[in-house]
Amino acid sequence: MRRIAYRFLAAISPARVGTGALARPGRAQLGSCLRSPQLWVRHSLLVAALITSMIAATRATGATRPHYGGTLRVMLQSAPDALDLTANPANATPTDYWDAARTLSLIGDTLVKLDAQGRPQPALAVAWQCDPTARHWQFTLRRGVKFHDGSAASPAAIAQILGALHPGWNVRASAESLSIESDATLPSLLAELALPRNLLLKRNANNIPIGTGPFLVAEWQPGKLLKLAANEESWAGRPFVDAVEIEFGKSLRDQAIALELDKTDVIEAAPQAANGPQRRGASPSLSLPVELLALVFSANSKAQDARLREALALAIDRKPIQSVLLKGAGEPAASILPNWMTGYSAVFSAQANPQRARTLLADSRQPALNVSYALSYDPRDPQAQLIAERIALNAREVGITVQVSLSGPEDIRLMRAVLPSPNPVTSLAEAVRQLGLPQPAFPAALPSTRGNSLDELYQAERSLLDGYAVIPLFHLPVASAASARVRDWQPDRLGEWSEAGLSLADLWLADRLTDRQTEGSRPEAGPR
């Protein structure tokens, strides 16, 4: 700054030496200044004012410009015993899934990614092709990528990991590529490979994941704390923050309070919280509907007549549940897939029709009177019990006795399922697997970014809904919130935290001392 002031003073001084060379003020000039005190004072004030403005501009720019450093603090609800997306899948909840997927996606990479429109994007693979039957695929891999332990992410290493994840595939490596072959057609293979469960991770002796992602594991306390350090050799560029600390086992209420008290930077949030008044310093973000809330009939359910099940579906008034219990979050649904994926969900009516329900009960071969059907729910879901009790009330209004209970055999279960991919074929298959339904049979089709044709997709979903083994209720979003010092980041439309340009690796942290001055300004981050 002294050099800037001196150059400015020399530039406005009439004294010059040589051709354009800057010179210090000589004795003669000092004498003239002494003989003109008013001119000297005016000159000095002008210089001081311009220097002050330059210093202020420099500080403002430094305060709002992306910079490296700092530790990002994150809180999550789940309390996992292992850093593994496939651990205890039978007992996993959507919250467990999102927490594991978000955490592991910071550590590892998949071969490809999908954007919110379902279009494949390069990750560890930079190019791919398949034969006309979609049974043989070949991927060209990114060069020079290393795992966190320094070993090369070679085609052979990646083939070994992927082959272990999918024993039914024939995965082979060559010099710079790998191939995937299957006896069955794989038209949606790219969407499958983009799922978080296909992150390419090795494991050390302590079962700690070793990946190629922007962060590596520095410390792991099962169920409590995970510390990640920036990967200096990340192929996508070094993250802005030096570290990420993730605290597990924090309720949504505890997370919200910690954010308000500036004890954390990124939290999960209830979707309905994003529609209500915002807490101080919070920047909430709501995804597209990426979860399904539905009723599923067990295999041994006493309610075997399809007309009885349809009557229950028609009895449920979804609007009051949405407006009161969900506080406006989500969309009433009668289809497994949300409309943003397919565009045809309006074909399946979610409108309540008690009169039609009573008519179906009268024609049912299974008497509804004097028979009680047990409805269970996940006690870890804070809204599930109230929603289940409201469904039981709707059912009784048309003559079906539903008893909400967590003990004894269940006839019906209120369940949530994750819709993890923008590819509708992949999300339908995943939702069906989570709900315990038989997988739909898709006709063989040419591969495309969206899998099978829309008509085939509709027919597959219709076949799952015709028998009312599942009654979709709502499509729900997921929500997150960030503190004021988190800059240039928000979760993508699918609720993920690791997409290109929207990853936690791309955010930077504003200095706490300058937050008040720069709050509200979120400049675009430059290239790293």
Side-chain angles (χ1 to χ4, degrees):
M1 196 56 65
R2 288 180 178 177
R3 179 174 297 180
I4 294 174
Y6 174 71
R7 286 180 179 272
F8 177 78
L9 179 61
I12 64 173
S13 172
R16 299 268 178 174
V17 176
T19 57
L22 299 179
R24 297 177 185 271
R27 179 69 179 176
Q29 284 74 38
L30 288 175
S32 64
C33 289
L34 291 173
R35 289 191 297 269
S36 306
Q38 291 182 348
L39 179 61
W40 171 251
V41 170
R42 187 178 302 169
H43 184 216
S44 301
L45 290 175
L46 176 61
V47 172
L50 288 171
I51 291 174
T52 301
S53 65
M54 284 189 290
I55 293 173
T58 302
R59 287 178 176 173
T61 303
T64 58
R65 179 181 298 169
H67 56 267
Y68 293 92
T71 296
L72 179 71
R73 303 161 301 172
V74 179
M75 286 185 174
L76 298 176
Q77 295 180 78
S78 65
D81 293 328
L83 295 174
D84 189 351
L85 191 62
T86 60
N88 299 321
N91 298 322
T93 66
T95 297
D96 296 331
Y97 173 86
W98 292 117
D99 290 355
R102 289 163 171 170
T103 300
L104 293 174
S105 294
L106 297 175
I107 302 170
D109 295 295
T110 52
L111 279 181
V112 297
K113 290 180 176 289
L114 295 188
D115 61 20
Q117 287 73 42
R119 298 170 299 201
Q121 305 293 332
L124 289 187
V126 295
W128 46 85
Q129 59 183 356
C130 70
D131 68 350
T133 67
R135 288 184 171 88
H136 177 86
W137 289 76
Q138 187 164 357
F139 296 84
T140 302
L141 300 185
R142 192 179 297 275
R143 295 181 179 180
V145 180
K146 294 182 179 180
F147 286 101
H148 297 153
D149 61 1
S151 62
S154 63
I158 292 177
Q160 182 178 3
I161 297 171
L162 203 56
L165 291 173
H166 297 277
W169 295 353
N170 182 11
V171 185
R172 294 182 296 179
S174 61
E176 295 181 355
S177 65
L178 64 82
S179 63
I180 298 176
E181 295 180 354
S182 172
D183 294 335
T185 183
L186 299 172
S188 299
L189 178 64
L190 297 180
E192 166 69 25
L193 291 174
L195 291 175
R197 69 164 177 245
N198 286 312
L199 287 163
L200 299 167
L201 299 168
K202 301 194 298 182
R203 300 275 171 175
N204 65 14
N206 297 320
N207 199 32
I208 301 298
I210 301 171
T212 59
F215 295 94
L216 54 91
V217 177
E219 180 182 344
W220 166 234
Q221 300 177 21
K224 296 180 180 180
L225 179 68
L226 173 65
K227 293 184 179 181
L228 302 175
N231 179 12
E232 301 287 347
E233 299 183 4
S234 173
W235 62 266
R238 185 199 188 277
F240 278 114
V241 298
D242 293 333
V244 178
E245 290 189 0
I246 303 175
E247 292 186 69
F248 293 98
K250 302 296 183 180
S251 68
L252 292 180
R253 181 177 180 274
D254 290 342
Q255 292 184 45
I257 293 174
L259 184 67
E260 190 168 6
L261 296 177
D262 194 28
K263 293 183 177 181
T264 190
D265 299 310
V266 175
I267 65 169
E268 301 164 305
Q272 53 269 30
N275 297 328
Q278 304 306 324
R279 292 179 179 267
R280 179 177 60 85
S283 177
S285 178
L286 203 62
S287 77
L288 292 168
V290 291
E291 289 184 4
L292 170 69
L293 183 65
L295 293 178
V296 180
F297 289 87
S298 66
N300 299 322
S301 172
K302 295 190 292 291
Q304 292 296 325
D305 193 332
R307 283 172 292 188
L308 174 66
R309 298 179 177 185
E310 183 180 0
L312 177 59
L314 291 171
I316 300 171
D317 192 354
R318 295 167 174 81
K319 280 294 184 181
I321 297 176
Q322 181 198 23
S323 60
V324 178
L325 300 182
L326 296 176
K327 295 183 172 64
E331 302 170 353
S335 60
I336 296 175
L337 297 177
N339 193 66
W340 70 267
M341 281 190 193
T342 66
Y344 62 60
S345 65
V347 175
F348 301 95
S349 176
Q351 191 71 30
N353 191 338
Q355 183 176 355
R356 172 64 178 161
R358 294 185 184 96
T359 302
L360 285 170
L361 284 177
D363 296 337
S364 173
R365 295 189 302 271
Q366 183 172 350
L369 297 177
N370 302 321
V371 178
S372 178
Y373 302 97
L375 171 59
S376 67
Y377 61 90
D378 188 343
R380 295 170 293 181
D381 187 336
Q383 299 165 310
Q385 181 178 358
L386 294 177
I387 294 175
E389 290 173 350
R390 180 69 190 193
I391 291 172
L393 177 62
N394 289 158
R396 286 194 291 271
E397 289 172 348
V398 300
I400 304 174
T401 302
V402 172
Q403 184 69 37
V404 178
S405 175
L406 293 177
S407 60
E410 64 183 22
D411 297 296
I412 317 165
R413 185 168 181 81
L414 181 63
M415 298 183 65
R416 286 182 187 251
V418 174
L419 305 172
S421 173
N423 181 285
V425 174
T426 303
S427 274
L428 181 61
E430 287 295 297
V432 163
R433 179 184 61 82
Q434 295 169 64
L435 298 176
L437 303 174
Q439 285 289 337
F442 290 107
L446 293 178
S448 67
T449 57
R450 296 189 66 82
N452 304 79
S453 72
L454 196 62
D455 181 63
E456 291 169 345
L457 180 70
Y458 169 78
Q459 294 300 333
E461 186 168 1
R462 170 64 77 180
S463 68
L464 292 167
L465 296 173
D466 277 347
Y468 291 92
V470 56
I471 301 176
L473 299 175
F474 297 97
H475 292 130
L476 301 171
V478 294
S480 305
S483 69
R485 76 182 193 121
V486 173
R487 303 300 173 90
D488 287 344
W489 177 79
Q490 63 179 9
D492 76 351
R493 298 172 66 222
L494 302 179
E496 298 180 0
W497 291 1
S498 58
E499 287 305 296
L502 297 173
S503 170
L504 293 185
D506 299 312
L507 67 77
W508 56 281
L509 299 175
D511 295 331
R512 294 172 186 265
L513 296 179
T514 58
D515 278 348
R516 296 185 181 89
Q517 300 173 4
T518 62
E519 189 170 357
S521 63
R522 299 178 71 88
E524 292 296 325
R528 296 183 296 170

